[in-house]
Structures are given as structure tokens and as C-alpha cells.
């Protein structure tokens, strides 16, 4: 195998960008990733093992930049933290959570209805969710980014002023 270590390239293989976004090539029905090869050349056997033990992080977040100075060995936890800090894996809250059954307007309405004294079970039935879901919204356990927002505070102040 011919490798341009300085530029992080495998030269004599037909390289593709896999669905995961990484450069690599197929060998015996397995995907071989360029960053794994370059990391092995840089770190030796420490770069090989279970993904639980060690992962290869692209410091700049660019999965196609396999230059040795862009690769580092990290734990799975460190890799996740890096992804959040760099925006590669944004925090999903509220409507961005696939399982969410409510939206922003409904959450504001729930807070208002509870403030008016409407029973949790009545609100839960209205939105076809559990009473726990309503309680969690109202107490700020979930949807905190909405229930503690300035908009929510203004809405409640306006209501209390009526």
C-alpha cells in the first residue's frame, strides 16, 4: 500500500467517501478508513482496538482531513464532547428531538393553562400526552429552554396583569 503520510492519503487504492463521511476503500468486503491507517502510522498499536477504548478524532471536525497533525487519539467520551463543542453534533432540544410530541406553542400554552389552574389531566388529554409530560413541562424538567425564556416570562407577566 502506498501512503502519502504528510497529506494523510492512501495513493494506490481507489478511495471513496463512505456514507459515514470518511475517506476509505473496500478490502475483502470491509471498509478500511484512511484515518485509521494514518493514525496507526502515527501512534502505532495504541490506535488499534475496541472503539470503546480508543477513537480517532479529527481535530478540525473535517472527516476528510486525514493529515497526521489533525488526528488525535481520544476516548469515546472525549470524542462526543468534541463533537458538541465544535457543533458537529448539536444539542437537540424541544421540537428537534425526534420523539417530541409537543411544539413550542403548545409548551407555552401548557404553562399558561397550568398557571390558570387548569388540571394537569385535562391539559394532558388536550395534547394527548401523559400527565407526567405536562408536569415536567410546567416544573421546568423538560422544555426548560422555552419555559424559562423571556417570552414565557413576558406572557405570564402579561396574564397576571390582566
Amino acid at each position: 500500500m502506498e501512503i502519502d503520510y504528510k497529506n494523510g492519503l492512501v495513493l494506490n487504492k481507489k478511495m471513496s467517501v463512505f456514507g459515514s463521511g470518511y475517506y476509505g476503500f473496500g478490502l475483502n468486503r470491509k471498509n478500511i478508513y484512511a484515518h485509521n491507517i494514518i493514525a496507526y502510522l502515527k501512534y502505532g498499536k495504541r490506535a488499534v482496538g475496541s472503539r470503546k477504548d480508543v477513537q480517532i478524532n479529527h481535530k478540525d471536525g473535517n472527516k476528510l482531513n486525514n493529515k497526521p497533525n489533525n488526528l488525535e487519539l481520544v476516548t469515546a467520551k472525549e470524542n462526543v464532547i468534541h463533537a458538541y463543542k465544535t457543533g458537529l453534533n448539536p444539542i437537540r432540544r424541544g421540537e428537534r428531538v425526534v420523539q417530541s410530541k409537543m411544539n413550542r406553542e403548545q409548551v407555552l400554552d401548557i404553562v399558561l393553562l397550568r398557571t390558570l389552574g387548569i388540571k394537569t389531566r385535562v391539559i394532558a388529554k388536550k395534547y394527548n400526552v401523559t400527565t407526567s409530560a405536562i408536569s415536567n413541562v410546567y416544573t421546568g424538567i423538560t422544555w426548560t429552554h422555552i419555559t424559562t425564556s423571556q417570552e414565557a416570562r413576558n406572557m405570564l407577566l402579561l396574564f397576571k396583569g390582566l
Side-chain angles (χ1 to χ4, degrees):
M1 186 176 320
E2 196 174 331
I3 297 169
D4 177 355
Y5 178 76
K6 180 181 170 189
N7 292 305
L9 301 171
V10 178
L11 301 174
N12 61 339
K13 294 286 183 183
K14 183 178 185 228
M15 301 294 285
S16 302
V17 177
F18 294 118
S20 59
Y22 294 102
Y23 264 137
F25 59 92
L27 181 68
N28 298 330
R29 295 184 180 207
K30 284 194 169 221
N31 292 339
I32 308 297
Y33 297 100
H35 65 275
N36 288 335
I37 294 168
I38 301 302
Y40 178 77
L41 293 172
K42 181 177 180 180
Y43 295 106
K45 288 185 180 180
R46 291 186 306 151
V48 180
S50 165
R51 286 193 55 195
K52 292 179 196 172
D53 299 332
V54 66
Q55 294 183 359
I56 300 157
N57 182 43
H58 291 78
K59 293 178 192 177
D60 67 358
N62 179 356
K63 295 177 180 181
L64 303 178
N65 180 0
N66 296 309
K67 293 179 181 176
N69 64 353
N70 188 48
L71 302 178
E72 64 182 347
L73 297 181
V74 295
T75 64
K77 182 178 180 179
E78 291 168 334
N79 212 7
V80 169
I81 290 168
H82 176 261
Y84 280 110
K85 282 183 177 177
T86 58
L88 295 170
N89 193 4
I91 296 171
R92 289 178 177 84
R93 299 188 293 191
E95 296 170 70
R96 291 184 177 152
V97 175
V98 177
Q99 299 90 344
S100 178
K101 293 184 178 181
M102 293 180 251
N103 63 38
R104 185 174 192 288
E105 290 75 28
Q106 291 169 329
V107 167
L108 289 169
D109 190 44
I110 288 165
V111 171
L112 182 60
L113 291 171
R114 282 299 294 134
T115 304
L116 286 169
I118 306 298
K119 298 218 178 273
T120 304
R121 64 180 160 71
V122 173
I123 302 169
K125 188 172 185 176
K126 176 181 179 179
Y127 289 110
N128 195 30
V129 296
T130 64
T131 55
S132 296
I134 300 301
S135 294
N136 288 343
V137 167
Y138 186 68
T139 58
I141 293 172
T142 59
W143 290 85
T144 307
H145 64 291
I146 300 297
T147 58
T148 60
S149 70
Q150 188 61 47
E151 180 182 4
R153 285 192 293 269
N154 289 346
M155 178 188 72
L156 293 174
L157 286 173
L158 179 66
F159 167 75
K160 288 177 182 178
L162 293 178

